[in-house]
Amino acid sequence: SKPPSNAGLGKAGAPWMMPRCAPAPVRGDPHHQRGRGYGGGGGRPPPTPPLVRLHNEIVGFARLMEPTAAELAERDAMVRRVTELALRTFGGKEHCEVLPFGSQATGLCLPGSDIDFVIRFFKKEDGGKEGGGDEQEEDGDCDPARSNPLHAFADAVREDFGVPGEFDAEDVLEIDGGNGSATTDDERLSYLEVIEHTRVPLVKFTVFPQNIDVDVCFDQPNGPESADLMHRFMESMPPLRPLTFALKYFLSSRDINKPFTGGIGSYLLQLMIVSFLQHRSREDASRGCGASGRHFNLGSLLVDFFELYGSDFNYVTAGISVRHDGYYFPKGAPDRREVFCSPRGPFTLAVENPLDVEMDVGAGAFRMQMISRIFGHAYKTLVAYVSEPALLSPEESVLARILPVSPEMEKRRAMKANEEGGEDW
């Protein structure tokens, strides 16, 4: 769970820092005005307060990691291809619907994030939609593709994309040319697996040369609906989007972001952030500071998030709900115990699914005790640097103390600069 070291970062700054040493501009952010009179003197501009530096870095990091227009086009093309393949395999729009969800639907995808799909078959009561009656539905129930959809779709993927081993790494480099210009004729599978013995059975595959990971599940509830819910939360909570980018990368860099290995998945993380912001807004409103979230300092919010889930939150007795503007509930209450008291032990994260109150979104995060310690260490690290500004030069990154910098980030910075005409990069 230890992230890669940033020891070689030096004083050149992190790739997400705006033009070498300059703070990232945030229109209308009153925190920039608070830098007046903070140190400085002698005719030199005053140094930026450390929490404002951290705020600017989070803004820059989200901007660096958000998908480019070319990446969005590439992912959209994959969505269309998988959708068309699924419809051909299972009888067309009269028999099923294919819906992307997760980060693909919310736009909160890091580079390399997978694309999640759910394929839903229409039930007998939808027979009118299918244009037939009971006889047609009975015939559909006998369809071997629908009776064993995992393997049927895996076979279709293998046939449509080509099996692994038909090309090697040198072929990929020649096809891709380093600019992601491969066509659908060049696409091949590099990985394919049917995962049956899990809470959510799915088909996983990776397509080269784009290296796009795709997960497909069947007849699962709430996936696209949860994406719609997150869109509404992002509209009402501006800090949610940049904090999600930073925290998703924080988890991913430590390999604690996969639910099937006990980590925190994207939906769970977003609900944790939403709950944190709900309670923080109420606290600010009670102090007369306003509760809109428009003037929140992202640096302060990130530090407080790590403090809450790294030391203050009572995982043993408390559960989280984001309904009704957010509240905590006792996990051991008679009407809650069966769903939210985990047999894995008392130190678990209980998070109510707002779309299905009888479902615990945090049930899969069985490594929460270790993750809480990681959050606590991140909190102490950030506090050390924001409370002692002299520890870092103005060119050095505060955020890079907890987010590992990779060579791909510099390449991404250059790609962004080229795409946006070099402005602010």
Side-chain angles (χ1 to χ4, degrees):
S1 62
K2 185 177 179 181
S5 172
N6 283 334
L9 187 59
K11 296 188 177 182
W16 53 78
M17 296 178 73
M18 292 300 104
R20 307 303 181 187
C21 313
V26 183
R27 291 182 187 271
D29 185 357
H31 301 287
H32 288 282
Q33 303 302 321
R34 297 180 188 177
R36 296 175 180 174
Y38 183 90
R44 294 187 300 174
T48 306
L51 278 177
V52 177
R53 285 178 61 185
L54 184 55
H55 169 101
N56 293 332
E57 289 192 45
I58 296 171
V59 172
F61 180 84
R63 184 182 170 196
L64 176 70
M65 304 303 281
E66 67 186 4
T68 65
E71 289 170 334
L72 287 174
E74 191 175 78
R75 294 172 69 89
D76 288 343
M78 184 59 63
V79 168
R80 289 193 296 272
R81 184 170 181 182
V82 173
T83 299
E84 292 169 0
L85 175 61
L87 292 176
R88 289 198 308 269
T89 304
F90 298 111
K93 296 180 180 179
E94 296 81 9
H95 297 275
C96 68
E97 60 181 352
V98 185
L99 302 171
F101 67 98
S103 60
Q104 176 66 22
T106 61
L108 298 173
C109 47
L110 294 173
S113 291
D114 57 11
I115 302 177
D116 299 304
F117 292 88
V118 59
I119 299 175
R120 292 175 176 169
F121 297 112
F122 297 135
K123 307 298 183 185
K124 183 173 292 187
E125 57 267 24
D126 298 319
K129 185 173 182 179
E130 294 187 49
D134 291 346
E135 182 178 350
Q136 181 180 359
E137 183 62 34
E138 289 173 3
D139 291 341
D141 288 340
C142 296
D143 184 351
R146 292 185 60 168
S147 63
N148 190 3
L150 287 170
H151 289 279
F153 190 66
D155 291 341
V157 168
R158 186 181 295 110
E159 180 178 350
D160 191 71
F161 285 93
V163 298
E166 291 186 359
F167 66 99
D168 56 25
E170 293 181 0
D171 295 327
V172 171
L173 292 175
E174 182 178 353
I175 290 170
D176 185 54
N179 58 12
S181 60
T183 67
T184 55
D185 292 336
D186 300 321
E187 294 171 349
R188 297 289 187 275
L189 288 178
S190 65
Y191 171 81
L192 173 65
E193 182 180 6
V194 177
I195 303 177
E196 297 181 89
H197 305 293
T198 183
R199 189 167 62 94
V200 180
L202 49 84
V203 177
K204 293 178 66 73
F205 61 95
T206 304
V207 179
F208 267 17
Q210 301 96 326
N211 202 30
I212 296 177
D213 297 318
V214 179
D215 291 354
V216 181
C217 61
F218 294 86
D219 285 329
Q220 292 297 317
N222 300 328
E225 292 79 7
S226 65
D228 292 338
L229 177 66
M230 281 303 142
H231 277 295
R232 295 197 295 272
F233 277 132
M234 283 191 287
E235 290 175 1
S236 62
M237 299 178 173
L240 175 57
R241 186 174 185 275
L243 286 176
T244 298
F245 273 106
L247 288 166
K248 282 186 71 171
Y249 185 75
F250 177 88
L251 296 175
S252 174
S253 65
R254 291 158 175 81
D255 199 28
I256 50 175
N257 63 324
K258 301 179 180 66
F260 58 87
T261 60
I264 295 176
S266 294
Y267 186 49
L268 174 58
L269 173 65
Q270 290 160 28
L271 291 177
M272 292 170 67
I273 300 172
V274 167
S275 173
F276 162 70
L277 292 175
Q278 288 172 329
H279 289 276
R280 175 65 177 264
S281 294
R282 271 199 297 276
E283 292 172 6
D284 287 352
S286 67
R287 294 196 297 263
C289 301
S292 68
R294 290 181 300 168
H295 304 305
F296 279 161
N297 179 292
L298 294 174
S300 175
L301 290 177
L302 184 64
V303 172
D304 291 349
F305 177 92
F306 284 132
E307 181 182 26
L308 172 63
Y309 293 111
S311 63
D312 291 351
F313 188 79
N314 190 334
Y315 292 90
V316 176
T317 63
I320 294 172
S321 174
V322 299
R323 295 184 303 132
H324 310 304
D325 294 326
Y327 62 94
Y328 298 138
F329 60 84
K331 290 164 58 174
D335 59 335
R336 298 278 192 171
R337 186 182 303 128
E338 183 177 353
V339 175
F340 296 100
C341 284
S342 172
R344 296 180 184 272
F347 202 98
T348 56
L349 179 61
V351 180
E352 174 193 81
N353 187 342
L355 301 174
D356 180 1
V357 297
E358 295 299 316
M359 178 181 177
D360 181 6
V361 181
F366 57 83
R367 297 164 69 192
M368 200 62 224
Q369 190 164 12
M370 180 199 72
I371 295 172
S372 175
R373 291 196 295 268
I374 293 173
F375 285 163
H377 183 266
Y379 165 71
K380 293 174 184 177
T381 300
L382 288 179
V383 166
Y385 283 101
V386 300
S387 60
E388 295 290 341
L391 290 175
L392 295 175
S393 71
E395 296 85 1
E396 291 182 284
S397 167
V398 180
L399 192 60
R401 303 309 111 187
I402 63 167
L403 297 188
V405 177
S406 66
E408 288 73 19
M409 288 183 178
E410 283 292 353
K411 297 177 184 176
R412 187 168 187 80
R413 180 184 178 120
M415 180 176 64
K416 287 267 186 174
N418 180 63
E419 183 178 86
E420 299 177 16
E423 294 184 6
D424 297 330
W425 290 105

